[in-house]
Amino acid sequence: MRKDESRCARWRCRLALALLGVYAIAAAFLFFWPSGSKIHRLNLDVWLWLRARGLPLWVAPEHVEQVANTLVFALPVAALVFAFPRGRPLWWIIGGMAVSATIETTQALVLPGRQMDWWDFVFNSLGTIVGVITGRYLARRPRWAGGAAPERSADRPDTPEKKRPQ
């Protein structure tokens, strides 16, 4: 590994870990808040705020909750995959689904004011898949890889190389 590649890898890890640290604190409050009615009220407030800004009439609060459940997993998974791009996508997806199942089970068994919701699990899992795709896309972009895009002749062997004047 070249020196600039290792710097980039460290930069990726630091950025991802910083984002995940902030996310973990916020997620802990959302996932494990003892009262489901407060979480529902927060979702309703977001829906009303979006409605005031032109959200179509056919979008219900449940739709906003489904999008939120997708994003709540897509963002941290994308950050992890971006930081550690050599991980296998299937393992990221299995890990995200396991975390979602653990959260839903904890809500059902430990928190009396919360209940397990299969749709939360489905949309959290969808968010995991979206996060893996997004993280892999960002990690493969030359701009994030620590340098400019490779020259055209290096990418395509059929492109003639520039001749040097003699």
Side-chain angles (χ1 to χ4, degrees):
M1 182 181 289
R2 295 184 325 200
K3 189 175 184 178
D4 60 332
E5 288 176 355
S6 66
R7 254 190 255 132
C8 181
R10 276 187 257 134
W11 173 81
R12 281 182 181 187
C13 288
R14 287 180 185 150
L15 175 64
L17 292 176
L19 291 173
L20 289 171
V22 172
Y23 169 82
I25 293 168
F29 281 106
L30 287 174
F31 294 145
F32 301 117
W33 192 265
S35 172
S37 62
K38 293 208 185 266
I39 301 300
H40 180 69
R41 181 61 203 183
L42 176 64
N43 180 57
L44 193 57
D45 288 342
V46 169
W47 178 74
L48 289 170
W49 184 82
L50 290 172
R51 285 292 306 272
R53 280 147 188 81
L55 188 70
L57 295 174
W58 58 267
V59 177
E62 292 79 20
H63 299 126
V64 174
E65 181 185 5
Q66 292 165 351
V67 170
N69 278 321
T70 302
L71 289 176
V72 83
F73 269 67
L75 298 175
V77 170
L80 278 169
V81 172
F82 178 73
F84 307 103
R86 293 183 182 202
R88 295 191 181 267
L90 181 62
W91 290 113
W92 289 116
I93 293 168
I94 291 170
M97 292 175 76
V99 169
S100 179
T102 302
I103 290 168
E104 292 301 320
T105 303
T106 302
Q107 289 176 351
L109 300 177
V110 178
L111 302 171
R114 301 291 295 267
Q115 60 186 6
M116 183 175 179
D117 187 349
W118 284 103
W119 286 112
D120 286 356
F121 173 76
V122 168
F123 283 97
N124 291 344
S125 299
L126 177 64
T128 299
I129 294 168
V130 169
V132 168
I133 292 168
T134 303
R136 287 180 61 85
Y137 172 76
L138 292 174
R140 289 183 177 184
R141 291 191 49 127
R143 178 175 32 165
W144 301 110
E151 290 186 28
R152 199 164 184 126
S153 61
D155 280 354
R156 297 178 48 196
D158 59 342
T159 305
E161 294 185 27
K162 294 180 182 177
K163 294 184 180 181
R164 295 183 195 174
Q166 294 189 15

